Amino acid sequence: MSAVTTARNVRIAIWTVLAALLGTGVIWYAMLTANKPAPTAPAAAADAQLVRDDSHRLTSPATEKAQLVEFLDFECESCRAAESLVQELKQEYGDRITFIHRYYPLPGHANSGTSALAVEAAARQGKYQQMAVRLFETQPQWGEKQDSQAALFRTNAEELGLDMDQFDTDVAAEETKERIRRDVADGKALGVTGTPTFFLDGKKLTLNSEAQFRQLLEDAAR
């Protein structure tokens, strides 16, 4: 089988997984305290914002043509499957489109909240993208495990050269947990039910193929 055929088959598999999983998932309205969920109320729909001042912007185009917002869960296999394509699109359109990440940990993943806390703690030291990439790269090692993977995430933080005292403080901080809860509440109010969910210039996308995704961004970037 040729490399081109193999790559095409991988792409087809990715979109098959996305189509199967995007329609599922009930959101989780809390982060972990002692590795257990703690409830919090959702934001009212009228107060929901697709992008907030503290939302993580992955690109900073000099002239912004559009915004692509992704609600994601670092333990979500579909998010990991889509990540390579999103990285390609970011390289291709990042000079015209602002790519934005928002947290949306799902209840079916035992370490989704823990991973989001680790990424947000890294973000507070300027290492959001590095930690996000690391968790997607290592997801096969820790995803779908029922025991806490906080120690592994801490090791990742050490390898990224973070101040570990500050990292530990930020992981445990109520402010960090509230930051993630706010993303989840916004997502719920905006109609997000699974991950990854994309919004392009405020419109929730229903994606059927890579070609369609690319064309939507090509049109928006003009």
Side-chain angles (χ1 to χ4, degrees):
M1 181 180 294
S2 70
V4 173
T5 301
T6 300
R8 184 182 301 114
N9 289 340
V10 169
R11 294 292 197 200
I12 292 172
I14 287 173
W15 287 104
T16 299
V17 171
L18 286 172
L21 295 184
L22 272 173
T24 65
V26 178
I27 62 90
W28 187 16
Y29 284 109
M31 296 302 97
L32 301 180
T33 299
N35 297 320
K36 292 184 179 180
T40 183
D47 297 330
Q49 297 181 37
L50 181 57
V51 180
R52 293 182 178 269
D53 290 341
D54 62 356
S55 295
H56 294 300
R57 293 160 172 81
L58 310 186
T59 59
S60 301
T63 301
E64 182 184 82
K65 297 289 188 178
Q67 292 184 342
L68 180 72
V69 180
E70 178 183 4
F71 283 83
L72 54 76
D73 173 352
F74 293 105
E75 194 171 356
C76 166
E77 292 182 355
S78 292
C79 292
R80 181 175 184 269
E83 178 64 11
S84 61
L85 174 58
V86 173
Q87 289 291 344
E88 289 180 19
L89 296 174
K90 187 174 71 172
Q91 290 296 318
E92 188 170 352
Y93 298 105
D95 61 336
R96 290 161 286 167
I97 295 176
T98 302
F99 285 66
I100 300 167
H101 274 181
R102 301 203 66 182
Y103 301 108
Y104 204 78
L106 295 169
H109 298 146
N111 282 283
S112 59
T114 310
S115 60
L117 287 173
V119 174
E120 181 57 24
R124 290 169 186 258
Q125 296 188 47
K127 294 289 183 71
Y128 173 85
Q129 291 202 61
Q130 293 90 327
M131 190 62 146
V133 169
R134 180 68 63 89
L135 291 196
F136 276 134
E137 288 177 346
T138 61
Q139 189 195 91
Q141 301 173 26
W142 61 269
E144 302 301 327
K145 294 185 182 298
Q146 296 306 305
D147 56 319
S148 173
Q149 298 297 299
L152 176 59
F153 302 151
R154 192 177 190 279
T155 296
N156 289 333
E158 287 181 310
E159 292 173 349
L160 290 175
L162 298 183
D163 178 324
M164 295 312 297
D165 288 339
Q166 186 62 50
F167 178 82
D168 292 339
T169 296
D170 288 335
V171 165
E174 184 62 26
E175 180 183 354
T176 308
K177 298 172 185 177
E178 183 57 32
R179 165 72 176 75
I180 299 169
R181 291 187 188 114
R182 189 165 58 248
D183 275 14
V184 173
D186 278 346
K188 171 61 177 177
L190 293 165
V192 176
T193 57
T195 58
T197 293
F198 296 92
F199 290 79
L200 182 60
D201 269 356
K203 181 181 179 181
K204 184 179 177 182
L205 301 183
T206 299
L207 298 172
N208 300 310
S209 68
E210 175 185 340
Q212 177 207 14
F213 200 2
R214 286 184 179 278
Q215 188 60 56
L216 287 170
L217 266 63
E218 178 66 30
D219 293 343
R222 290 175 181 167

